[in-house]
Amino acid sequence: MEPNMIKITNLEKFYRTEEVETIALNKLSMEVKKGEFVAIMGPSGCGKSTLLNILGMLDDPDNGSYLFNDIEVAHFNERKRADLRKHNIGFVFQSFNLIDELTVFENVELPLIYTGVPTAERKKRVEAVLDKMQIMHRRNHYPQQLSGGQQQRVAISRAVVNNPKLILADEPTGNLDSSNGNEVMELLTDLNEQGTTIVMVTHSEHDARYSHRIIRLLDGQTVLENIMI
């Protein structure tokens, strides 16, 4: 049995305004094993994106425990979270989040700059991942010169160039047609088969079937888990 990469226990997150308090996560507990591919589903407003932000250490919970590789990170300060995040986690977003002023090569190179990788090593690693993602021929193009499917390939390249242990994907096929969407899901499946742990938020039952397990949320709580055969 693989050890846990993620273990969250009684996680709570509240959003408050002067008039109202919204409970985004309500004593949520779940585990993700190393090497798993987990899909998180549920209606809009059920806490999926809040959960992903906390798993990605972009936000911290109000209460509860979050163990990442057996390290308690629930109340790390921003600097500690950022340091752990940039060495361990890659993000793939629905809207690609590429920088329009940078070429494909430069977009993919960014995480390596943030982690202080030397220039020659950066070049080698970016070229290797662009080659693997079959987007090398577009290395000098800008995002707006690419199709949606190509942009998501670049975004996935950027997510994996640092060899992260975990990829968090938020509706990764949401802006793509079915053909490009299937290609992206095959890429994520290949990465998972090579050992990368993946947690994906999706509304798509079709995409969720690529995962090993579906966790369904409602009102910030786990209501159902499906093991995929």
Side-chain angles (χ1 to χ4, degrees):
M1 179 72 77
E2 287 291 334
N4 286 326
M5 174 173 284
I6 290 166
K7 182 177 182 180
I8 62 175
T9 309
N10 291 329
L11 214 62
E12 292 185 305
K13 184 68 179 179
F14 311 108
Y15 293 107
R16 297 178 181 89
T17 65
E18 287 179 11
E19 294 82 27
V20 69
E21 177 178 275
T22 303
I23 302 173
L25 297 177
N26 186 8
K27 296 191 181 300
L28 178 67
S29 298
M30 61 175 266
E31 298 175 359
V32 178
K33 304 285 184 198
K34 288 180 179 172
E36 250 196 313
F37 187 162
V38 174
I40 297 173
M41 301 194 74
S44 295
C46 72
K48 300 187 302 294
S49 294
T50 299
L51 174 60
L52 214 63
N53 284 341
I54 290 173
L55 294 181
M57 301 178 212
L58 299 169
D59 200 356
D60 57 347
D62 291 310
N63 295 302
S65 166
Y66 173 15
L67 294 176
F68 181 80
N69 284 334
D70 294 326
I71 299 168
E72 178 58 77
V73 300
H75 300 294
F76 268 18
N77 63 31
E78 173 51 33
R79 177 177 288 184
K80 276 184 158 181
R81 288 205 311 264
D83 194 50
L84 201 59
R85 184 170 66 233
K86 70 186 180 184
H87 288 101
N88 291 280
I89 302 174
F91 294 89
V92 179
F93 302 96
Q94 176 178 347
S95 54
F96 318 133
N97 283 15
L98 300 175
I99 297 172
D100 286 341
E101 295 76 24
L102 299 182
T103 63
V104 164
F105 185 96
E106 291 164 342
N107 266 284
V108 175
E109 185 185 29
L110 266 184
L112 300 177
I113 293 172
Y114 290 144
T115 48
V117 176
T119 307
E121 176 69 11
R122 290 203 306 265
K123 182 173 186 289
K124 192 166 76 176
R125 281 165 66 173
V126 173
E127 287 178 348
V129 78
L130 290 178
D131 201 38
K132 183 176 172 182
M133 295 290 168
Q134 299 176 357
I135 197 81
M136 179 69 120
H137 60 296
R138 298 286 195 177
R139 57 173 290 166
N140 295 319
H141 287 76
Y142 291 89
Q144 59 269 35
Q145 296 174 301
L146 307 178
S147 69
Q150 289 170 332
Q151 288 188 58
Q152 195 59 298
R153 278 175 181 268
V154 176
I156 293 172
S157 301
R158 181 186 58 192
V160 302
V161 74
N162 250 341
N163 299 316
K165 297 177 178 68
L166 171 67
I167 287 180
L168 298 175
D170 192 359
E171 300 282 0
T173 68
N175 283 338
L176 303 176
D177 60 33
S178 59
S179 172
N180 280 311
N182 287 340
E183 272 192 27
V184 164
M185 292 310 303
E186 294 290 349
L187 284 173
L188 291 175
T189 301
D190 288 347
L191 290 166
N192 175 246
E193 287 172 352
Q194 292 160 33
T196 307
T197 306
I198 298 178
V199 177
M200 174 182 70
V201 161
T202 182
H203 280 106
S204 165
E205 294 283 351
H206 172 270
D207 289 358
R209 285 198 288 272
Y210 284 87
S211 71
H212 303 151
R213 182 162 57 103
I214 301 173
I215 297 173
R216 297 181 190 271
L217 298 186
L218 186 65
D219 298 332
Q221 296 177 300
T222 306
V223 289
L224 188 65
E225 289 197 25
N226 303 104
I227 309 297
M228 309 305 286
I229 304 300

